Amino acid sequence: MMIVGPVTPGQVAFFIGFVSVLAAWIYAEFLEYKKNAIPSKTHSDLSLVELNETVKEGDRAVLLEGGGLQSVSPRARSSSVSSHIFRFLLMEESFLIEYRLTLRAMCEFGALLAYFYICDRTNLFGDSKKSFNRDLFLFLYFLLIIVSAITSFKVHHDKSPFSGKSILYLNRHQTEEWKGWMQVLFLMYHYFAATEIYNAIRLFIAAYVWMTGFGNFSYYYVRKDFSLARFAQMMWRLNFLVLFCCVVLNNSYMLYYICPMHTLFTLMVYGVLGILNKYNEIGSVIAGKIVACFLVVILVWEIPGVFEFVWSPFTFLLGYTDPDPSKKKFSRLHEWHFRSGLDRYIWIIGMIYAYYHPTVERWMEKLEETEVKLRIAIKTAVATVALTVGYLWFEHIYKLDKLTYNKYHPYTSWIPITVYICLRNLTQQFRSYSLTLFAWLGKVTLETYISQIHIWLRSGLPDGQPKLLLCLIPNYPLLNFMLTTSIYIAISYRLFVLTNTLKVAFVPSKDNKLLAQNIIAGIVISGILYTLSFIFLQVPQLLV
């Protein structure tokens, strides 16, 4: 097995940490087995079911990015982080048994990252070229829709948190389904190199960013939870997996551009609502904040030279150089400027829609109570206007060539998004339906986005774009597609579960002191591992 690229200190540090945790987990499993072999001996190990039963209601709230949460052991909260580290280093039996499930989750997470490395950085598995066949592309997508409609069609009867009635305007099931069907097309676009739907993919990404503004504004405006714990949990959800991918695969953060984009716009929503948050109930204050957002975006992205001035100090984090020789002419911040600039306004539109969400629900409530003929007339008028606007956008904007479309996209992406929202929520029956298969896929969009680059596609080198397909069954492209897709989806879901499981273990929701200790401990442990990795990498050179 040949390894592509040099071994980095980060990879060595990860290997040292993984081997240490793996050894501790194996020993913990042995101790648990030995304990269970004696029926009369009781044990205090908590199962995942027990953890789930103790989840507090405040921990259940998640944004559109979603994710199940688990609770932490009260004993874990009472002990200091330093004592945990020493107990781990001493392999204390009671500690290992108590945290056996956390160690297992860490080992599984590390093993999956190792699989990422094997698939993308070694020649153990082959690769193949992408090819696009429109007939096959459409066949697979519509087949998935048909299967989803047959097996996962569901009618929801949830009540509106504002009116208490079954309005369900832009409900969670609907937005998850929306993310799901877009994500399938987004992934198929990459797998089959379906460049002819480039403009649609740009629109889908804008819709994701719209949901970031909509979901975060809804949460912070309603819950008023600007706590450090909530902020840390959101940052963990967005960046935990991608951080380890950058370390293990020696990639730049900007290779996974969706992550820094969502992080930026999440931070901006958090900042906008967090500043002077006690005045958020005043409409004029919210209006002023929205206007301020537009002014900041105009200043940074529209005025030449300002973007470089603002972001150049963060080049170490947001800089990216494509290994492709034809892309060498671009600056390190070009990718960040291009990606963030395309969707610079749509997150603000999402915030506006979230602010008026209760008002629209009240309008819908009144509409559903009106006389039948008037109700049908109004809905018909709304549908007619939406379809007309959508058609005009499609004819005059969407059909433009790639480069020209990109120039109009930041100012027009809200149009098809609004059209979709109007049509999807036109009737009470329509907005209560969802295809739960797509909704399930919508919950793991972050993991499927990151994983595709390494275990479904292949780049083969640090910071490389995934221009090849992972090939496990040579000469059988459809069988290979079936196998690699099955593995890829399964691993993506496991990474989703593990990210949330480890979030509960290391990001407490109600204890800022413990959270600060965990952050400091993480920095110290990382520093020690990196120091050891530098030493190990220097040893072969000293022996020469």
Side-chain angles (χ1 to χ4, degrees):
M1 181 176 70
M2 185 178 71
I3 296 176
V4 178
V7 177
T8 67
Q11 292 167 345
V12 175
F14 172 82
F15 179 76
I16 296 171
F18 175 68
V19 170
S20 302
V21 174
L22 179 63
W25 171 63
I26 292 174
Y27 186 41
E29 291 290 350
F30 170 74
L31 294 173
E32 178 68 13
Y33 171 78
K34 188 169 69 171
K35 177 178 288 189
N36 289 335
I38 306 175
S40 62
K41 188 175 182 180
T42 61
H43 61 85
S44 62
D45 184 42
L46 296 177
S47 68
L48 288 176
V49 175
E50 290 171 323
L51 287 174
N52 278 327
E53 289 174 350
T54 59
V55 177
K56 295 184 178 180
E57 190 62 32
D59 288 337
R60 295 185 185 275
V62 289
L63 302 184
L64 287 172
E65 281 74 14
L69 297 175
Q70 296 169 301
S71 182
V72 225
S73 164
R75 183 176 174 182
R77 296 181 185 274
S78 62
S79 303
S80 68
V81 174
S82 58
S83 68
H84 285 175
I85 295 174
F86 284 117
R87 293 171 70 192
F88 173 81
L89 294 175
L90 295 173
M91 290 289 185
E92 184 179 306
E93 293 187 2
S94 60
F95 173 83
L96 295 180
I97 292 176
E98 181 180 356
Y99 292 95
R100 177 176 59 89
L101 296 177
T102 299
L103 293 171
R104 178 193 294 174
M106 293 171 70
C107 287
E108 184 180 354
F109 183 79
L112 294 178
L113 286 174
Y115 180 70
F116 276 35
Y117 186 88
I118 291 171
C119 289
D120 199 32
R121 292 292 190 273
T122 71
N123 64 348
L124 185 63
F125 302 122
D127 53 52
S128 58
K129 293 182 179 180
K130 299 179 181 181
S131 63
F132 177 64
N133 181 296
R134 185 185 301 160
D135 182 45
L136 177 61
F137 184 92
L138 294 175
F139 166 77
L140 290 173
Y141 187 64
F142 285 112
L143 178 63
L144 180 61
I145 292 176
I146 293 170
V147 171
S148 180
I150 293 173
T151 61
S152 68
F153 180 84
K154 186 174 182 180
V155 180
H156 303 278
H157 301 286
D158 301 13
K159 303 294 183 181
S160 166
F162 302 103
S163 65
K165 297 186 178 181
S166 298
I167 300 301
L168 296 171
Y169 167 60
L170 278 176
N171 60 81
R172 178 66 176 273
H173 310 291
Q174 184 185 129
T175 54
E176 295 288 14
E177 177 203 71
W178 185 5
K179 287 199 298 178
W181 68 256
M182 288 193 302
Q183 184 73 353
V184 171
L185 278 174
F186 180 75
L187 297 172
M188 290 177 66
Y189 161 79
H190 284 153
Y191 192 90
F192 293 103
T195 54
E196 65 180 35
I197 64 167
Y198 172 87
N199 292 354
I201 300 305
R202 294 273 67 80
L203 177 61
F204 295 164
I205 295 173
Y208 291 133
V209 176
W210 180 92
M211 290 186 209
T212 295
F214 180 86
N216 281 285
F217 185 98
S218 297
Y219 178 87
Y220 291 120
Y221 186 74
V222 174
R223 297 295 185 92
K224 301 176 177 61
D225 180 8
F226 299 96
S227 63
L228 175 63
R230 178 62 193 176
F231 176 80
Q233 288 172 349
M234 198 63 233
M235 291 300 102
W236 179 287
R237 176 75 185 97
L238 290 172
N239 291 291
F240 175 69
L241 174 58
V242 73
L243 171 65
F244 277 92
C245 284
C246 290
V247 171
V248 173
L249 295 149
N250 192 27
N251 284 331
S252 299
Y253 187 36
M254 268 308 299
L255 181 67
Y256 314 91
Y257 65 89
I258 292 292
C259 298
M261 276 179 56
H262 282 283
T263 299
L264 169 66
F265 298 129
T266 296
L267 287 173
M268 294 182 79
V269 176
Y270 180 84
V272 167
L273 290 181
I275 297 172
L276 301 175
N277 61 81
K278 63 181 179 180
Y279 301 107
N280 284 344
E281 297 298 328
I282 303 173
S284 58
V285 172
I286 291 296
K289 290 184 174 185
I290 296 294
V291 170
C293 289
F294 278 112
L295 292 177
V296 169
V297 171
I298 291 170
L299 175 66
V300 175
W301 275 272
E302 304 287 359
I303 300 178
V306 176
F307 182 90
E308 289 73 16
F309 176 79
V310 171
W311 293 109
S312 57
F314 303 97
T315 303
F316 72 96
L317 180 63
L318 299 171
Y320 173 76
T321 301
D322 195 320
D324 186 344
S326 65
K327 304 291 181 64
K328 295 293 184 181
K329 60 182 179 180
F330 297 118
S331 70
R332 294 262 297 153
L333 285 174
H334 172 267
E335 187 76 2
W336 175 235
H337 184 258
F338 172 70
R339 299 295 183 182
S340 61
L342 282 172
D343 301 308
R344 57 186 179 269
Y345 291 112
I346 195 64
W347 64 279
I348 307 176
I349 305 299
M351 290 172 60
I352 295 173
Y353 283 31
Y355 180 72
Y356 284 104
H357 183 275
T359 303
V360 175
E361 276 210 338
R362 287 193 292 270
W363 291 348
M364 288 184 167
E365 182 181 333
K366 291 180 181 179
L367 179 61
E368 295 299 331
E369 294 172 352
T370 58
E371 191 264 333
V372 176
K373 290 184 179 179
L374 178 60
R375 182 165 71 245
I376 293 175
I378 292 174
K379 291 182 178 181
T380 302
V382 170
T384 302
V385 172
L387 289 170
T388 302
V389 172
Y391 172 77
L392 293 174
W393 171 84
F394 179 79
E395 285 293 324
H396 298 285
I397 302 296
Y398 181 80
K399 286 186 175 181
L400 294 171
D401 65 272
K402 171 181 175 179
L403 295 179
T404 306
Y405 174 82
N406 283 343
K407 294 177 182 178
Y408 288 96
H409 175 81
Y411 314 103
T412 62
S413 61
W414 64 274
I415 297 173
I417 291 173
T418 305
V419 169
Y420 175 81
I421 292 172
C422 289
L423 297 176
R424 183 67 176 84
N425 293 274
L426 193 61
T427 69
Q428 177 66 43
Q429 291 75 21
F430 197 25
R431 56 181 173 261
S432 66
Y433 300 154
S434 79
L435 301 180
T436 55
L437 175 59
F438 282 118
W440 180 81
L441 290 170
K443 293 180 180 179
V444 294
T445 52
L446 184 64
E447 288 72 24
T448 52
Y449 165 72
I450 295 172
S451 301
Q452 62 160 332
I453 300 175
H454 307 296
I455 61 173
W456 203 42
L457 313 174
R458 281 195 70 174
S459 62
L461 74 166
D463 280 344
Q465 294 296 324
K467 297 179 180 180
L468 299 171
L469 305 177
L470 178 66
C471 184
L472 302 180
I473 309 178
N475 304 318
Y476 291 90
L478 291 181
L479 287 177
N480 183 70
F481 172 75
M482 179 187 69
L483 178 60
T484 56
T485 301
S486 301
I487 297 172
Y488 156 62
I489 295 298
I491 288 179
S492 296
Y493 178 70
R494 285 306 303 162
L495 288 170
F496 166 77
V497 172
L498 293 169
T499 297
N500 286 290
T501 300
L502 295 174
K503 178 177 68 176
V504 172
F506 295 107
V507 188
S509 59
K510 302 295 182 182
D511 191 339
N512 287 342
K513 182 180 178 180
L514 179 58
L515 174 59
Q517 290 177 353
N518 286 347
I519 293 173
I520 294 171
I523 294 172
V524 171
I525 292 171
S526 299
I528 293 172
L529 291 175
Y530 264 84
T531 301
L532 291 174
S533 68
F534 275 110
I535 294 173
F536 288 149
L537 288 175
Q538 290 299 319
V539 169
Q541 299 179 18
L542 296 175
L543 295 177
V544 175

